[in-house]
Each structure stands twice: as structure tokens, then as C-alpha cells.
Amino acid sequence: MKDAFERRALLLHFADVLEAVNWLIQNDDSHKTVRELAATNEPLARFPLLGQVSAHMTSTEFVRCATRAFVEWPRELLEFELDRKRLASTVQLNLFARNADGWRAYVAGLTDEVSWFGVGLPLLSADEDVHASSTEADAGSPSANEKEAEAAVASEAPHNGEQIEQDRESVETSERIYPTWPWKSGV
């Protein structure tokens, strides 16, 4: 049951990020940093993340980076088994590159509700080129993990293609995994 509460906490955090992104898009002021905007606008002041990212990050940069960081979260959070490292590493790579102090503060804020978040991830060194990998993903070329996953599925499909479809169906028709998820209720 703890897993369901952790997923809920991460979904609520994701909703806060979307709310901040929405506000920044609607009130675009690309001349100020996100920290400056959060300090002078009450609606943004309630999002600690905005004070944890780089002091030089503009609203446009934040929107781009946050989108890359959180785009996979809804899908990942609905998976039967969470890829915990992937959830945390996408945020670290996209929002906290070269900002170890901000990353530590961000993780500390989330670990009250999600104790495993960020655990085991090494801090990024200042000379790592993290944007090259995210640029490849933005350009439409699949990442190494995506390529491996596609290859595994492709090699499995001819052998037991029927089994894959049966597994997919059984997940959708099985008993409720999380009792509070309304789309799994018998009503």
C-alpha cells in the first residue's frame, strides 16, 4: 500500500510542476530568471522547485527542461513496476545539470513522502555534457534504453506474439492493483 501513496505523491508533485509551467507560459517574462519570478509572484512562491533550479534559468529554459524531465512520468507511474532510477534521473539530467546543491535540496524535499527518490544516483559532474543526450531524444532518435527495449520486444514478438497480447490484456482485466484507482473499480 505504501507504493500507492508514493505514486500519488509523485503525481501531485508532477501536477505542481505542470501548474508552474502553465503559469510561466501564460505570464512569459523571458528577461527574468525563474527564481526572480518566484520571489516576486505569489502563485509561484509555493513551488520550492523554482528556487532549487539554477539561479540563471529563465522561464523559457525552465519550461523546456521541465517538459523533458517530466514527459515520461505519467506513463512510468502507471507501470506495474516503477523504474525508480529513470524517474529521478530524467529530472536530475534536465533540471539540475551542474547544480548539485539544487539537486540535493530537491531530493530532500521529496524524500519525506517518497523515501527512495534520488537514492543511488551519482551527482553529475560539471564537465558532463547532459544536453547532448537530451538533444538526441528531442530530435526523434531513440535513446539507448529505448533501443534496447524495442530490440527486446522485437526479438520476443516472433516467438510468442500471442503471449504478449495476452499479457497486455491480463493487466487490463486483472484485479485492481491500487484500490483507489477509479478505472480499476468494478462499478
Side-chain angles (χ1 to χ4, degrees), residues 165-176 184:
E165 189 60 39
Q166 287 174 350
D167 289 345
R168 185 175 299 133
E169 184 178 328
S170 68
V171 170
E172 294 299 319
T173 59
S174 65
E175 289 297 315
R176 298 184 325 173
K184 290 291 186 175

Side-chain angles (χ1 to χ4, degrees), residues 64 67-68 94 131-141:
R64 249 188 242 122
T67 302
R68 283 193 308 255
N94 289 291
H131 296 293
S133 63
S134 61
T135 304
E136 289 173 10
D138 290 346
S141 64

